[in-house]
Amino acid sequence: MNVFNSLIDQSEVIEILKEAVKSAQKLNDSSQVMTNTWLFTGPPGSGRSNAAIAFAAALVCKEGGCSKCSDCMSTIIGTHADVELIKTEGLSIKIDEIRELITRSSWAPSVASYRVVVIEDSDRLTESAANALLKVIEEPGLRTIWLLCAPTLTDVLPTIRSRCRHLSLRTPSTKAITNLLIERDAVDPKTAEFVARASGGHIGRARRLATDANARANRANILKLPLMIKDIASAFKAAQLLVDAAKADAIADAEKKDEDEISKLKEAWGATGSKMASGGSKAVKELEKEQKSRSTRMVRDYLDRALLDLATLYRDVLLLQSNSTDSLINQDLIEQIKLMATSTNPAKTLGKIEAILKTRRNLAQNAAPLLLIEALMCELR
């Protein structure tokens, strides 16, 4: 058992990381298997962040990633003294945060052989933050390791990626995710196979669908939207329903977290009644601003997930139009899929899939969500 066992269907990447860990443990190794800056890329759900965190744990573990010692366990939960985990819940990582990180990264390791910095969302660095990071990874400290994560190489500045060793993770297979859910989460085989297909290879999404009845119900409601679109008015109504559902989910997830964060911050600033120590009010306003940014991102994330679900529906329609039923994802909606397949042709179905994917790309560029979804629903009409 080791920390890399959490990576599903990534045998090639695991072998490279294990060799790097062995090299890092040798004081005078000249093989250049180990380097100070790494870039992990892969589609959502492939486990790129998990790979970086597992690698960090192995680098600070005296046994090379046993998964049982305090070094491994504290790295995985984010509390190790020599491992920095930067994980943004907002829309971007700003330069002030990177400057503070650069200062901390220059400190000598306190308990391990290395100081490891993991940036989970390197694609969310602002231009100024990315340029500040570039300066430090051009000449990293001998005992500082930088692990960057991003969906693709093009999401990272060329000047940064040219200084990194690149590892590309693939989308885990349906079979691998199915087996994981059965063995780790005791999900029944039929449900496990369905959610593994429905998730599009996203392990976290598959687990949520398998264990959360509300998530499955929300997905079913989203897949019913195309049937209600008859004209422009119903297209706009479907768009509003989808955006409202995304906002409701985001509010439900963020509400309690927001309250807890504000409460703890006020307590830290010595709040008594309506009074706080000098500077406390400014700190609360800054936190509220961050929470608003996080909520905006959560809405976009929920919409993106809904768009992926819609894409699986039209994928099934296209398969049926091609006289193939072997690998349908939404078998439970077979009658709806048949109706859609007979009411249009493959070229139009393909056009609708392309429209969904285009909307996903525009959503990632911070376009207005409601306008994007309205335009899409009109195209799906």
Side-chain angles (χ1 to χ4, degrees):
M1 183 72 178
N2 61 63
V3 289
F4 296 115
N5 286 5
S6 62
L7 306 183
I8 306 303
D9 217 14
Q10 308 292 348
S11 55
E12 296 89 347
V13 169
I14 291 172
E15 285 305 310
I16 292 170
L17 294 178
K18 284 183 176 179
E19 287 300 314
V21 171
K22 288 179 184 177
S23 175
Q25 291 174 329
K26 299 175 185 176
L27 293 177
N28 298 310
D29 185 59
S30 58
S31 65
Q32 296 186 341
V33 172
M34 182 62 195
T35 184
N36 289 78
T37 314
W38 297 70
L39 175 58
F40 296 80
T41 64
S46 60
R48 58 180 185 263
S49 297
N50 290 342
I53 292 168
F55 189 31
L59 288 170
V60 299
C61 172
K62 295 175 179 62
E63 302 297 327
C66 66
S67 81
K68 297 176 182 177
C69 68
S70 59
D71 286 323
C72 286
M73 294 174 71
S74 59
T75 298
I76 290 167
I77 64 175
T79 59
H80 195 285
D82 292 325
V83 179
E84 290 268 359
L85 177 60
I86 304 303
K87 179 180 180 181
T88 182
E89 292 181 318
L91 296 174
S92 62
I93 302 174
K94 297 179 174 59
I95 189 169
D96 290 343
E97 190 173 357
I98 292 300
R99 282 174 176 161
E100 291 176 11
L101 176 64
I102 290 170
T103 300
R104 295 194 301 272
S105 71
S106 65
W107 299 344
S110 56
V111 295
S113 299
Y114 292 95
R115 188 162 189 81
V116 187
V117 182
V118 181
I119 303 181
E120 282 199 4
D121 301 289
S122 298
D123 54 308
R124 294 186 183 272
L125 289 163
T126 63
E127 185 177 352
S128 56
N131 287 328
L133 179 63
L134 173 62
K135 291 178 182 178
V136 74
I137 66 172
E138 282 180 326
E139 297 179 7
L142 290 175
R143 291 293 170 185
T144 303
I145 309 296
W146 292 85
L147 309 179
L148 314 181
C149 306
T152 68
L153 278 173
T154 56
D155 291 314
V156 181
L157 281 180
T159 46
I160 288 180
R161 65 178 186 249
S162 67
R163 289 163 174 79
C164 300
R165 182 171 182 186
H166 175 226
L167 288 181
S168 178
L169 282 76
R170 64 188 179 201
T171 300
S173 68
T174 299
K175 183 178 180 181
I177 296 176
T178 301
N179 291 338
L180 175 70
L181 293 173
I182 293 171
E183 294 168 9
R184 185 188 68 184
D185 301 303
V187 178
D188 70 89
K190 186 176 180 181
T191 300
E193 185 177 2
F194 165 68
V195 298
R197 288 184 182 278
S199 68
H202 193 303
I203 298 171
R205 170 74 164 142
R207 186 176 186 276
R208 187 180 182 193
L209 284 172
T211 58
D212 187 343
N214 286 335
R216 293 196 296 274
N218 288 342
R219 183 178 186 276
N221 290 333
I222 289 166
L223 295 181
K224 291 174 183 175
L225 287 177
L227 282 185
M228 69 173 284
I229 304 174
K230 307 296 182 185
D231 50 28
I232 296 296
S234 57
F236 275 50
K237 183 179 179 181
Q240 190 68 60
L241 286 171
L242 189 53
V243 173
D244 287 348
K247 287 181 178 178
D249 283 344
I251 290 170
D253 281 358
E255 205 165 43
K256 188 177 186 303
K257 191 173 185 178
D258 289 352
E259 289 175 5
D260 288 344
E261 288 175 345
I262 294 290
S263 176
K264 288 177 181 177
L265 183 63
K266 287 182 176 179
E267 186 180 333
W269 281 90
T272 54
S274 60
K275 295 182 179 179
M276 277 187 293
S278 177
S281 297
K282 183 180 179 182
V284 169
K285 286 181 180 178
E286 285 294 320
L287 178 58
E288 288 174 341
K289 185 178 178 182
E290 290 176 12
Q291 289 175 340
K292 186 177 180 181
S293 175
R294 178 174 65 196
S295 178
T296 300
R297 178 181 170 181
M298 288 173 70
V299 171
R300 294 179 188 277
D301 287 345
Y302 284 125
L303 285 174
D304 185 69
R305 188 183 302 161
L307 293 176
L308 280 173
D309 289 333
L310 285 174
T312 68
L313 180 69
Y314 286 100
R315 167 199 174 276
D316 286 349
V317 171
L318 190 61
L319 278 175
L320 210 60
Q321 289 172 331
S322 305
N323 299 317
S324 175
T325 58
D326 293 338
S327 56
L328 292 182
I329 291 174
N330 304 288
Q331 292 278 2
D332 54 323
L333 299 174
I334 187 64
E335 294 305 319
Q336 175 181 336
I337 293 167
K338 285 180 179 178
L339 181 63
M340 295 172 71
T342 55
S343 63
T344 184
N345 58 59
K348 288 184 178 179
T349 302
L350 192 58
K352 291 176 180 180
I353 294 173
E354 289 172 350
I356 292 170
L357 298 180
K358 180 182 176 183
T359 302
R360 287 189 69 210
R361 290 193 296 271
N362 290 338
L363 192 63
Q365 299 300 318
N366 295 334
L370 182 57
L371 292 177
L372 278 179
I373 303 301
E374 285 176 344
L376 173 63
M377 291 303 172
C378 289
E379 289 194 61
L380 298 182
R381 179 171 59 94

Short mmCIF file of all heavy atoms in Angstrom, two decimals, residues 197-220:
data_model
loop_
_atom_site.label_atom_id
_atom_site.label_comp_id
_atom_site.label_asym_id
_atom_site.label_seq_id
_atom_site.Cartn_x
_atom_site.Cartn_y
_atom_site.Cartn_z
N ARG A 197 -20.14 5.57 -16.56
CA ARG A 197 -20.39 6.05 -17.93
C ARG A 197 -20.89 7.48 -17.92
O ARG A 197 -20.44 8.34 -18.68
CB ARG A 197 -21.41 5.15 -18.63
CG ARG A 197 -20.91 3.77 -19.01
CD ARG A 197 -22.01 3.03 -19.78
NE ARG A 197 -21.60 1.68 -20.13
CZ ARG A 197 -20.85 1.37 -21.19
NH1 ARG A 197 -20.44 2.32 -21.99
NH2 ARG A 197 -20.53 0.12 -21.45
N ALA A 198 -21.84 7.76 -17.03
CA ALA A 198 -22.47 9.09 -16.98
C ALA A 198 -21.50 10.19 -16.57
O ALA A 198 -21.67 11.35 -16.96
CB ALA A 198 -23.66 9.07 -16.02
N SER A 199 -20.48 9.84 -15.81
CA SER A 199 -19.53 10.84 -15.31
C SER A 199 -18.54 11.29 -16.36
O SER A 199 -17.82 12.27 -16.16
CB SER A 199 -18.76 10.27 -14.11
OG SER A 199 -17.89 9.23 -14.55
N GLY A 200 -18.45 10.58 -17.48
CA GLY A 200 -17.49 10.94 -18.51
C GLY A 200 -16.05 10.75 -18.07
O GLY A 200 -15.15 11.46 -18.53
N GLY A 201 -15.83 9.82 -17.15
CA GLY A 201 -14.47 9.56 -16.69
C GLY A 201 -14.04 10.41 -15.51
O GLY A 201 -12.87 10.39 -15.13
N HIS A 202 -14.96 11.17 -14.91
CA HIS A 202 -14.66 12.02 -13.76
C HIS A 202 -14.94 11.22 -12.49
O HIS A 202 -16.10 10.96 -12.16
CB HIS A 202 -15.53 13.28 -13.81
CG HIS A 202 -15.10 14.35 -12.87
ND1 HIS A 202 -14.99 14.15 -11.51
CD2 HIS A 202 -14.73 15.65 -13.07
CE1 HIS A 202 -14.61 15.27 -10.93
NE2 HIS A 202 -14.43 16.19 -11.85
N ILE A 203 -13.88 10.84 -11.76
CA ILE A 203 -14.02 9.96 -10.61
C ILE A 203 -14.88 10.59 -9.51
O ILE A 203 -15.77 9.95 -8.95
CB ILE A 203 -12.64 9.56 -10.05
CG1 ILE A 203 -11.85 8.79 -11.11
CG2 ILE A 203 -12.79 8.72 -8.78
CD1 ILE A 203 -10.40 8.54 -10.75
N GLY A 204 -14.62 11.86 -9.20
CA GLY A 204 -15.39 12.53 -8.15
C GLY A 204 -16.85 12.65 -8.50
O GLY A 204 -17.73 12.45 -7.65
N ARG A 205 -17.14 12.96 -9.75
CA ARG A 205 -18.53 13.07 -10.22
C ARG A 205 -19.22 11.71 -10.14
O ARG A 205 -20.38 11.61 -9.73
CB ARG A 205 -18.51 13.60 -11.65
CG ARG A 205 -19.83 13.57 -12.40
CD ARG A 205 -20.77 14.63 -11.92
NE ARG A 205 -21.85 14.82 -12.86
CZ ARG A 205 -23.11 15.07 -12.52
NH1 ARG A 205 -23.44 15.15 -11.25
NH2 ARG A 205 -24.04 15.26 -13.43
N ALA A 206 -18.51 10.65 -10.53
CA ALA A 206 -19.08 9.30 -10.48
C ALA A 206 -19.44 8.91 -9.05
O ALA A 206 -20.52 8.37 -8.79
CB ALA A 206 -18.10 8.30 -11.07
N ARG A 207 -18.55 9.22 -8.12
CA ARG A 207 -18.81 8.88 -6.72
C ARG A 207 -20.02 9.65 -6.18
O ARG A 207 -20.84 9.11 -5.45
CB ARG A 207 -17.58 9.17 -5.87
CG ARG A 207 -17.72 8.69 -4.43
CD ARG A 207 -16.44 8.89 -3.63
NE ARG A 207 -16.58 8.29 -2.31
CZ ARG A 207 -17.14 8.88 -1.28
NH1 ARG A 207 -17.64 10.12 -1.41
NH2 ARG A 207 -17.23 8.28 -0.11
N ARG A 208 -20.11 10.93 -6.56
CA ARG A 208 -21.24 11.73 -6.08
C ARG A 208 -22.56 11.18 -6.62
O ARG A 208 -23.55 11.08 -5.90
CB ARG A 208 -21.05 13.19 -6.48
CG ARG A 208 -22.12 14.09 -5.86
CD ARG A 208 -21.96 15.52 -6.24
NE ARG A 208 -22.99 16.34 -5.60
CZ ARG A 208 -23.27 17.58 -5.92
NH1 ARG A 208 -22.58 18.18 -6.87
NH2 ARG A 208 -24.22 18.25 -5.31
N LEU A 209 -22.59 10.85 -7.89
CA LEU A 209 -23.81 10.29 -8.48
C LEU A 209 -24.18 8.96 -7.83
O LEU A 209 -25.36 8.64 -7.65
CB LEU A 209 -23.62 10.09 -9.99
CG LEU A 209 -23.69 11.34 -10.87
CD1 LEU A 209 -23.29 11.00 -12.29
CD2 LEU A 209 -25.08 11.97 -10.84
N ALA A 210 -23.15 8.18 -7.48
CA ALA A 210 -23.41 6.86 -6.91
C ALA A 210 -23.93 6.93 -5.49
O ALA A 210 -24.73 6.09 -5.06
CB ALA A 210 -22.13 6.03 -6.95
N THR A 211 -23.50 7.96 -4.74
CA THR A 211 -23.82 8.01 -3.31
C THR A 211 -24.84 9.08 -2.93
O THR A 211 -25.28 9.12 -1.79
CB THR A 211 -22.53 8.26 -2.50
OG1 THR A 211 -21.91 9.48 -2.94
CG2 THR A 211 -21.54 7.11 -2.69
N ASP A 212 -25.22 9.94 -3.89
CA ASP A 212 -26.14 11.05 -3.58
C ASP A 212 -27.38 10.97 -4.47
O ASP A 212 -27.32 11.24 -5.67
CB ASP A 212 -25.41 12.38 -3.79
CG ASP A 212 -26.24 13.59 -3.34
OD1 ASP A 212 -27.46 13.44 -3.16
OD2 ASP A 212 -25.66 14.68 -3.17
N ALA A 213 -28.51 10.63 -3.86
CA ALA A 213 -29.76 10.48 -4.62
C ALA A 213 -30.20 11.82 -5.23
O ALA A 213 -30.76 11.86 -6.33
CB ALA A 213 -30.86 9.93 -3.71
N ASN A 214 -29.94 12.93 -4.52
CA ASN A 214 -30.30 14.25 -5.04
C ASN A 214 -29.52 14.59 -6.31
O ASN A 214 -30.07 15.19 -7.24
CB ASN A 214 -30.04 15.33 -3.98
CG ASN A 214 -31.06 15.31 -2.87
OD1 ASN A 214 -32.19 14.86 -3.06
ND2 ASN A 214 -30.67 15.79 -1.69
N ALA A 215 -28.26 14.20 -6.35
CA ALA A 215 -27.43 14.45 -7.53
C ALA A 215 -27.99 13.70 -8.74
O ALA A 215 -28.04 14.23 -9.85
CB ALA A 215 -25.99 14.04 -7.27
N ARG A 216 -28.44 12.47 -8.52
CA ARG A 216 -29.03 11.68 -9.62
C ARG A 216 -30.35 12.29 -10.06
O ARG A 216 -30.66 12.33 -11.26
CB ARG A 216 -29.23 10.22 -9.18
CG ARG A 216 -27.94 9.47 -8.94
CD ARG A 216 -28.15 7.96 -8.90
NE ARG A 216 -28.99 7.54 -7.79
CZ ARG A 216 -28.55 7.28 -6.56
NH1 ARG A 216 -27.25 7.41 -6.29
NH2 ARG A 216 -29.37 6.90 -5.61
N ALA A 217 -31.13 12.78 -9.09
CA ALA A 217 -32.42 13.41 -9.43
C ALA A 217 -32.21 14.70 -10.23
O ALA A 217 -32.92 14.96 -11.21
CB ALA A 217 -33.21 13.69 -8.16
N ASN A 218 -31.23 15.50 -9.83
CA ASN A 218 -30.93 16.74 -10.54
C ASN A 218 -30.50 16.45 -11.97
O ASN A 218 -30.89 17.15 -12.92
CB ASN A 218 -29.82 17.52 -9.82
CG ASN A 218 -30.31 18.15 -8.53
OD1 ASN A 218 -31.51 18.29 -8.31
ND2 ASN A 218 -29.37 18.51 -7.65
N ARG A 219 -29.69 15.41 -12.13
CA ARG A 219 -29.23 15.04 -13.47
C ARG A 219 -30.41 14.62 -14.34
O ARG A 219 -30.51 15.00 -15.51
CB ARG A 219 -28.21 13.91 -13.38
CG ARG A 219 -27.61 13.51 -14.72
CD ARG A 219 -26.57 12.41 -14.56
NE ARG A 219 -25.92 12.16 -15.85
CZ ARG A 219 -26.41 11.37 -16.79
NH1 ARG A 219 -27.56 10.74 -16.58
NH2 ARG A 219 -25.78 11.22 -17.94
N ALA A 220 -31.33 13.85 -13.77
CA ALA A 220 -32.50 13.40 -14.52
C ALA A 220 -33.35 14.59 -14.98
O ALA A 220 -33.86 14.61 -16.10
CB ALA A 220 -33.33 12.45 -13.66
#
